Amino acid sequence: MFKKILIANRGEIACRIIKTAKKMGIETVAVFSDADRNALHTKMADNAIYIGPSPSTESYLVIDNIIQAALKSGAQAIHPGYGFLSENAEFCRQCEANNLVFIGPPVDAILAMGSKSAAKNIMAAAEVPLVPGYHGDEQTPAVLKQAADKMGYPVLLKAAAGGGGKGMRAVYAAAEFDQALAAAKREAKASFGNDVMLVEKYLQQPRHVEIQVFCDQHNNSVYLFERDCSLQRRHQKVIEEAPAPGMTDELRQRMGTAAIRAATAIDYQGAGTVEFLLDSSGEFFFMEMNTRLQVEHPVTEMISGQDLVEWQLRVAAGEPLPCTQEQLTIRGHAFEARIYAEDPAHDFLPSTGTLKTLQTPTESEHVRIDSGVIEGDEVSVFYDPMIAKLIVWDSDRERALQRLTQALSDYRIGGVTSNIAFLYNLASCEAFRRGDVNTGFIEQHQEEIFHRRQQDIDYAAPLAAQAILAARQARAKQLAEQSSEPDSPWHLANSWQAGGINRADLKITIGEQQIVVPSQSQALVADGTKVVTDSIKVVADKIKIVADNIKVVADANGFNLFTPRGLFHCAETAPDLGLDDDHHSTGNLTAPMNGTVVALLVDTDAPVSKGDALLVMEAMKMEHTIHAPEDGRVSEFFYQPGDLVDGGAELLLFQPL
Ligand code: ADP
C-alpha cells in the first residue's frame, strides 16, 4: 500500500479522501490555491502545498503544478477526486511519465469515455443499449439539424465533452434548433474548450439510474448496485438515493451486467459509474460512463457497507477487489442531498459570501455529512458553490426519508442563500415519498415545491399565526420578568388563547406572499393536525415545537415552519410594506450576478413579445437568459458581448408598449 498520496482537489471530496487515507495509515498531501490557504482540506492533510492563484485554471487545473507538488512532497500516488483533472487523460499520462500512480483508470479508458460520441460507438459494439441519436463527426449546423429533423422532436443537444449538465439544450421544435445549437455550443466551448455536439432523442420522463462498477488489475469486476439520481435541476443531480425505488432483482442484474460489459469493453480499472436512462417499461439506455468517483458515491457506501475510496486505493496499489459479487449485499436505504449556496427561487443562481452561520445536524450511524467548509468560511466565486452533502441511512426508504427531512430541519445556514428549504420541500413532496420519480420531477412539481399553490399557503397561515403570536407572548413574558410588576395583566399578550378577547387580524408574509389571517381563523387546526396551544414550547424567545410533525425555528427575519407539506418561511409583515402595484413590471433586467454578456438577441427598437429572449449572460460557466417582461422594445443595451458586468447592474433599457 502507498505510504503517501497527494490529493489533487479541494473542498469536501479532498476532505473525504483524507479521512480514508488517515484510517488506512497513509500520509496525505493537500494542494491549495490562494483562496484555499485556510480551507479545511488544507488543514486536514498532513502536508499542504501551494499551487497558484485562486482561479482553478491557474491552480487546480494546472497539470504541471500538481505534478511538481507531488514530486516535491514524495507522494507515490495522486487521487484526483472528481471534477478538475479527474477525467483528464493528459494528466493521467503525466502521472505515469513521472512514476506517480494515478488513482483512477488507465489513460486509454479515460480516452475511450472522454468523448460521449466515441463512447457510444464502443458501447454499441459491446451490445450495451443506447439512446437513439446522432454521434458522428460531421458537425455543420445543417447536418446536426437534419439529424434532429429525422429523429423527430424533441431532441437533446449535448456537448460531446460535456459534464455537469453544461452545453446541453432540449429542442422542442425545428424552429428553435438554430438558437439552441448556438447556445449549447457557446456553453460547451466556454466550459470544455470543445463544442462538438451530439443529438439525441429526448426521452420523456425517464429515470436516471446509474450503476457503480469496480474493476481491479486482475480481471475481477463487480457492480455495487444502483443509484437513482432522477431528481435533477438543469440536468444536475439534487437528491440521489440507493437502491432505486421499485427496482427488481431481475432488472438490477440486467443493468449490472450491462454496466460490467461496458467497463470490460474498455479494460477498465478502479471505480466507475455507468449511467443509464430507464424508461417506464423497464427498458434502459446507456448515457455515459464516468471514469472516476462520483459525488453521490456515499449512498452506495451506506447501503453496501463498503468504503469506496479504500477500494480505489487498494485497486490502484495492485490489490484484488476486496469482495466478490456474491459477497456484496444491500442493507437498508440511503439518500444524499446536495446542499448548495444558491437561490432556487431565482433559477438556482449561485450565491457567494461568508458562511456566517453553519450549524449541522448531529452525525450518527444514520446521518453523515461530507463537507469541506466550516462556519466563517467563504463561498467564493472561484469554485462550485456546494456547501455539503447530507447523507442519511435507515432500514427502509420511508424511514430514511424521514431522517432526511429531520436532518434538513436541523441545518442552519446564514450569510449566503442556501437551497435547504428547496430540498426540504422536495423531500416532502407526496410523489417523491411514493418513489414516483423521473428526471422532469422538479419541473412537474414546481408549484408544490415552491409553494405557489393557494392550498399550501392556506395550510401554513394558521400555523404561522400561531408561531407569531407565541413569539409575541414570549417577548411580553420576558419584558414582564424584567419589569418591576411582573404579575401585571398588561404583560399577558395572550390574545391567541381559546375564547380570548382582543383578537386582531394578523398581517403575515409567507414566502413572498403577503396575507392577512383573520382573527377567527387563527384557529388551532390545520390539515387535520391539531395544534394544541399547550404544545407550543417557548424557550427564551425561541419557539420549539408547535405540534406533532411541525417544527418552528426562529431566524433573523422571522420563522421557518417545518411541516409535512414543506418548509414555509413566515414573518409578521412590517407595517410599511404596502404593495406598490401601479408601476409596470420591469422584470429582471438587471444582471443576476457578476458575469459576462455573451449575446444580444434582439435589435434595439425592434418590437418584442413578452417572454422573448433579449440577452444572454454567462456566469460561473452557466448561461442565463434575460427575457422580455412584457410586450415592448429594447431602446438601449448598456453592454456589448464580452463586457463584464456586476451583479445588479442594469443591462438594458426596456420600453413597455
Ligand atoms: P452530463 O455529463 O452533463 O451530466 P449526461 O449525459 O450525464 O450529462 O446527462 C445528464 C442528465 O440529462 C441525465 O441524467 C438526464 O436527466 C438528462 N438526459 C440526458 N440525455 C437524455 C435524453 N436523451 N433524454 C432525456 N433526458 C436526458
Side-chain angles (χ1 to χ4, degrees), residues 555-576:
D555 70 6
N557 311 314
F559 304 95
N560 282 315
L561 293 178
F562 294 90
T563 80
R565 291 225 202 151
L567 166 54
F568 298 84
H569 188 268
C570 65
E572 216 172 331
T573 309
D576 57 349

Side-chain angles (χ1 to χ4, degrees), residues 116 131 156 158 162-166 168 200-203 206 208 232 235 275 277 287-288 439:
K116 290 188 189 195
V131 185
L156 188 67
K158 268 191 198 179
K166 287 171 187 144
M168 201 181 261
E200 268 178 18
K201 183 84 193 147
Y202 193 30
L203 301 183
H208 174 121
Q232 304 180 346
H235 304 299
E275 297 190 331
L277 288 174
M287 229 179 342
E288 64 169 345
T439 58

Side-chain angles (χ1 to χ4, degrees), residues 18-69:
I18 293 169
K19 270 190 199 149
T20 290
K22 284 203 165 160
K23 181 182 86 180
M24 295 172 71
I26 300 169
E27 209 182 317
T28 52
V29 184
V31 291
F32 64 94
S33 66
D34 282 328
D36 283 341
R37 205 165 276 281
N38 296 309
L40 196 57
H41 79 276
T42 312
K43 292 187 203 145
M44 260 176 81
D46 299 308
N47 314 281
I49 298 182
Y50 174 76
I51 48 160
S54 305
S56 48
T57 48
E58 295 170 40
S59 47
Y60 296 103
L61 288 170
V62 183
I63 293 177
D64 200 38
N65 292 7
I66 307 261
I67 299 280
Q68 290 313 319

Side-chain angles (χ1 to χ4, degrees), residues 218-271:
H218 313 282
N219 292 323
N220 301 309
S221 47
V222 295
Y223 60 91
L224 290 100
F225 319 113
E226 78 282 357
R227 295 182 284 258
D228 190 309
C229 313
S230 300
L231 290 204
Q232 304 180 346
R233 50 113 178 124
R234 290 179 155 184
H235 304 299
Q236 267 186 293
K237 298 161 189 166
V238 177
I239 295 182
E240 303 98 339
E241 63 181 300
M247 176 60 83
T248 61
D249 287 341
E250 186 269 333
L251 181 57
R252 174 176 294 131
Q253 199 183 355
R254 267 200 296 137
M255 294 183 80
T257 46
I260 296 280
R261 262 200 322 277
T264 40
I266 56 167
D267 296 327
Y268 201 74
Q269 284 169 25

Side-chain angles (χ1 to χ4, degrees), residues 494-503 519-520 522-524 533:
N494 58 351
S495 58
W496 50 280
Q497 276 191 342
I501 46 166
N502 291 340
R503 285 175 162 224
S519 57
Q520 62 275 25
Q522 290 160 23
L524 309 182
T533 48

